[in-house]
Amino acid sequence: MRILHLSSLYPPEQVGGAELMVETLARTQAGLGHAVAVACASRQVEAPVHQDGVAVYRMGYGTPFHILDWPQRGRLDRIRYKLAAQWNRHSLVQLSRTVRDFEPDLVNTHSLSELPPAVWPLLRRLGVPVVHTLHDFTSLCTNGAMTRHGQACAGQHLKCRLYAEPHRRCQRAVSAIAAVGADLLARHRAAGFFDAVPADLQRVIWNPIEPGARANRRPRTPGAPVTFGFLGRIEASKGADILFEACRLLPAQGWRLTIAGRAVDGLDRYRALTEGLPVSFLGHAERDAFLDGVDCLVVPPIWPEPFGRTVAEAYGRGVPVIGSAIGGIGEQIGPGPWLVPPGDASALAAAMARIIAEPERLSDGLARAPIIRAGTDPAEVAAAYLDLYAAARAATQSATVPAPLGRPQLSESRL
């Protein structure tokens, strides 16, 4: 099969986990013998190159600035960027050229945070079935996270409904949906998205995660403090404030907390929140080595994180997780004492205190680890996508017979 992935970015240019997912999936599919390409936004338009067996088409960008320059831009520039991304003709022209050059059997679109939703109807006009992977809330929310001022949103605000209207109009061109979490899919369906996609072509497929080196965990020393860990961006939406509030409620002895990650606005405020507590900030840390050095990972976001990659990575290293009962975090951990209500510092402190008092319970938190490892195995994920691709192509072919890709159906002037 000839598979084209369309991604906002592609490594080495990267913002979040979506780019890692696309890279792993594309490489795995190429390793299975399929012809695989990726089209993505980039600093400049480049001729296609092969990267780990995948043809990469870097299409440049048509927005006022490149997304990786976002932190250096002010509020007005960011608003201009968001509006331009919705109507980015440059990307439509480049994608049309890519499709005609690569001639895919199917296009798997991913997060459209930097690309216009009009790519969907464009691909339909070009006669190519479209499978869209939901990674985030880009089609529902201006920031893609369903949060505002550090708090989770109960629904769409007016500006987000207006922002989402082009996505709502264009999404009817999608043939099939893969969501990285059931909650993520349900929220889009509740907002009226993807009603035209048959139920059997709406599937939940977790992100593929390549296993790291063999875990190098040392047995716990009896009586040693329990080492909790926090891995990722240090910010309110990720639950950092709630975690530090919970730490104030813990016993004075028997634990410590190690933080790996960065804070966009600096660590001064967080150091003040944890003053006098056994909390250390490491800054950037290598993922596997960090996980091997903690007894329990704490993942307490207040927003409905669609998947929660750090949860799966921890289970893969034999580390139990205490997490928020929301979004993909709750789906992976499952009901029980390892889940706490999002934003509830007292409940989080109680869950942590239970482990401090009885560290032998740590092994109980790994009951679902085999399920998570199987569901994120790259070969299994690739097989699930190939099955969905085949079903989407069959459904499309039974509905209509597309014109050959070698005979373009529209000129660039009509994009």
Side-chain angles (χ1 to χ4, degrees):
M1 189 183 302
R2 297 185 66 80
I3 305 161
L4 174 63
H5 292 276
L6 176 61
S7 176
S8 288
L9 293 175
Y10 192 71
E13 293 184 331
Q14 178 185 345
V15 171
E19 293 85 33
L20 287 177
M21 179 274 184
V22 176
E23 180 184 39
T24 302
L25 180 59
R27 288 168 51 186
T28 304
Q29 290 172 339
L32 293 172
H34 298 276
V36 182
V38 173
C40 61
S42 60
R43 290 284 186 185
Q44 59 188 19
V45 178
E46 299 179 12
V49 297
H50 277 80
Q51 187 172 316
D52 297 323
V54 177
V56 182
Y57 291 77
R58 301 195 182 275
M59 304 187 301
Y61 62 97
T63 48
F65 56 90
H66 190 271
I67 185 57
L68 294 182
D69 297 332
W70 181 275
Q72 289 79 46
R73 298 290 178 154
R75 182 172 179 273
L76 290 179
D77 279 349
R78 292 179 178 187
I79 292 174
R80 288 175 54 237
Y81 180 99
K82 285 290 186 181
L83 293 174
Q86 294 279 64
W87 311 102
N88 186 347
R89 186 178 183 277
H90 170 89
S91 293
L92 298 179
V93 170
Q94 291 298 320
L95 176 59
S96 180
R97 292 172 177 170
T98 298
V99 169
R100 292 185 176 108
D101 182 67
F102 186 70
E103 297 190 346
D105 297 317
L106 177 141
V107 175
N108 188 166
T109 60
H110 296 268
S111 175
L112 299 185
S113 55
E114 323 312 326
L115 298 169
V119 298
W120 291 328
L122 168 64
L123 291 168
R124 170 170 281 188
R125 291 195 297 271
L126 291 172
V128 188
V130 179
V131 172
H132 180 58
T133 298
L134 287 170
H135 292 270
D136 50 35
F137 297 100
T138 292
S139 292
L140 301 182
C141 175
T142 57
N143 64 23
M146 297 293 286
T147 61
R148 189 181 189 187
H149 305 312
Q151 299 295 320
C153 299
Q156 281 183 292
H157 297 285
L158 175 60
K159 77 167 185 177
C160 291
R161 289 198 299 271
L162 295 174
Y163 164 84
E165 189 54 33
H167 291 253
R168 189 183 306 279
R169 292 200 307 269
C170 294
Q171 52 87 25
R172 299 190 70 82
V174 173
S175 304
I177 287 291
V180 300
D183 177 77
L184 178 65
L185 178 58
R187 288 173 186 262
H188 279 80
R189 290 302 312 277
F193 278 70
F194 309 117
D195 289 343
V197 177
D200 64 326
L201 295 181
Q202 300 180 29
R203 304 183 188 178
V204 175
I205 306 175
W206 284 343
N207 281 341
I209 297 180
E210 294 179 330
R214 180 184 293 274
N216 185 27
R217 300 183 58 77
R218 296 179 180 179
R220 269 185 49 80
T221 303
V226 174
T227 301
F228 295 101
F230 177 94
L231 177 63
R233 291 196 307 275
I234 306 169
E235 58 186 38
S237 67
K238 290 287 187 179
D241 296 63
I242 297 298
L243 173 58
F244 300 147
E245 183 181 345
C247 288
R248 290 286 176 192
L249 304 176
L250 293 178
Q253 306 292 329
W255 66 278
R256 59 190 172 208
L257 172 65
T258 303
I259 309 290
R262 66 182 185 89
V264 175
D265 298 323
L267 290 175
D268 290 347
R269 186 173 76 86
Y270 296 106
R271 293 188 190 280
L273 289 174
T274 58
E275 187 176 359
L277 296 175
V279 176
S280 57
F281 294 87
L282 302 182
H284 174 75
E286 196 279 323
R287 180 199 70 183
D288 290 348
F290 175 79
L291 290 172
D292 287 349
V294 302
D295 298 313
C296 180
L297 190 70
V298 184
V299 187
I302 62 169
W303 73 292
E305 194 160 333
F307 175 61
R309 186 182 181 92
T310 55
V311 175
E313 290 171 341
Y315 282 144
R317 308 293 297 178
V319 180
V321 182
I322 295 173
S324 297
I326 189 171
I329 307 296
E331 292 171 34
Q332 290 186 67
I333 296 175
W338 298 88
L339 278 185
V340 299
D344 191 332
S346 296
L348 178 57
M352 296 170 70
R354 183 177 66 96
I355 300 303
I356 296 169
E358 301 178 83
E360 62 273 13
R361 289 179 177 268
L362 285 165
S363 60
D364 298 344
L366 294 173
R368 284 180 56 80
I371 297 173
I372 306 305
R373 283 196 291 265
T376 57
D377 177 78
E380 294 298 323
V381 172
Y385 268 97
L386 292 171
D387 182 70
L388 180 58
Y389 296 167
R393 291 183 67 200
T396 301
Q397 290 167 358
S398 66
T400 182
V401 179
L405 285 174
R407 298 178 177 84
Q409 299 173 354
L410 74 168
S411 66
E412 291 180 2
S413 64
R414 294 179 56 197
L415 291 178

